[in-house]
Amino acid sequence: QSALTQPASVSGSPGQSITISCTGTSSDVGGYNYVSWYQQHPGKAPKLMIYEVSNRPSGVSNRFSGSKSGNTASLTISGLQAEDEADYYCSSYTSSSTLGVVFGGGTKLTVL
Amino acid sequence: QVQLQESGPGLVKPSETLSLTCAVSGYSISSGYYWGWIRQPPGKGLEWIGSIYHSGSTYYNPSLKSRVTISVDTSKNQFSLKLSSVTAADTAVYYCARRRGYALFDYWGQGTLVTVSS
């Protein structure tokens, strides 16, 4: 199973909005609404931010939103804040193996 | 509050077997959900290793399947990872996590760095 494709880096100024893309195939992102997004600060474990394409776990700011079109999922962060600077990973269920999961390569978000 | 804690040797010799355990507190593994292992080589992205159901059913990443064994001990409320024939490429931070639904991990351990070196 091949990793999902994410841009290596994105940046934005405080208050702005940014979008991170996550491209897969019809065997993963495009075929199922089981895309999740994780935030990871340096030296910390990943934190679930979005699940099933667009759902936010309790406690996650509504500045984070998710969507999907075809084989590409997107994470949008609005009203950028300094603490949003982190690595972001998408993941998806994949039918290429039984109950398989595939992650994206990660995107480094820099808040200018 | 669900908490997970990885434990095991931080240094493993090449060709040997890496063994880690994940102790779960705040939730009984027997109550359900899948439990999984994910790893992250230094400076790189996340890779799913495999998952196990409380009944013992296992699901592995095809790229690692020949070397991986995940098991569960419900009496101790923990699950374990064994990765055989390790090489330097297996050096990574290993995370255990609770898997809910098809592809989301909602609770994670803090991670443990395992270095493969002689």
Side-chain angles (χ1 to χ4, degrees):
Chain A
Q1 47 200 47
S2 300
L4 306 175
T5 301
Q6 298 181 233
S9 63
V10 298
S11 63
S13 299
Q16 288 186 332
S17 294
I18 63 94
T19 297
I20 300 172
S21 63
C22 170
T23 301
T25 68
S26 58
S27 295
D28 39 64
V29 174
Y32 309 91
N33 289 324
Y34 297 127
V35 177
S36 301
W37 289 91
Y38 301 87
Q39 176 191 66
Q40 186 180 37
H41 286 109
K44 300 296 186 181
K47 174 187 176 184
L48 180 66
M49 305 300 285
I50 295 287
Y51 67 95
E52 292 171 2
V53 176
S54 60
N55 295 298
R56 276 189 313 275
S58 174
V60 172
S61 171
N62 59 10
R63 297 186 299 105
F64 292 82
S65 62
S67 63
K68 190 186 84 168
S69 177
N71 293 338
T72 298
S74 299
L75 172 71
T76 297
I77 308 173
S78 59
L80 268 180
Q81 299 180 0
E83 62 258 34
D84 299 332
E85 184 162 299
D87 293 326
Y88 290 84
Y89 293 90
C90 62
S91 76
S92 173
Y93 168 77
T94 175
S95 59
S96 63
S97 66
T98 306
L99 284 180
V101 177
V102 61
F103 284 94
T107 298
K108 169 66 177 176
L109 168 61
T110 300
V111 180
L112 302 171
Chain B
Q1 177 74 348
V2 180
Q3 293 185 314
L4 296 91
Q5 178 68 58
E6 306 90 348
S7 63
L11 180 64
V12 180
K13 290 182 168 56
S15 80
E16 295 189 345
T17 296
L18 177 160
S19 296
L20 296 173
T21 296
C22 180
V24 180
S25 59
Y27 186 87
S28 172
I29 287 180
S30 298
S31 295
Y33 291 126
Y34 294 87
W35 304 85
W37 290 96
I38 300 103
R39 70 179 182 178
Q40 184 173 35
K44 296 187 178 181
L46 301 167
E47 179 181 34
W48 173 67
I49 299 172
S51 298
I52 188 165
Y53 195 50
H54 67 88
S55 64
S57 299
T58 51
Y59 309 91
Y60 299 134
N61 185 326
S63 68
L64 298 169
K65 186 175 183 178
S66 63
R67 299 194 291 131
V68 173
T69 301
I70 297 176
S71 58
V72 64
D73 186 338
T74 54
S75 67
K76 295 182 178 179
N77 214 39
Q78 64 186 35
F79 60 104
S80 300
L81 168 70
K82 291 187 184 299
L83 181 65
S84 64
S85 304
V86 297
T87 69
D90 295 309
T91 293
V93 174
Y94 285 76
Y95 295 100
C96 60
R98 188 178 80 170
R99 175 175 176 172
R100 188 160 60 92
Y102 274 86
L104 74 92
F105 297 93
D106 56 356
Y107 290 98
W108 295 65
Q110 65 184 27
T112 186
L113 175 63
V114 179
T115 302
V116 178
S117 175
S118 55

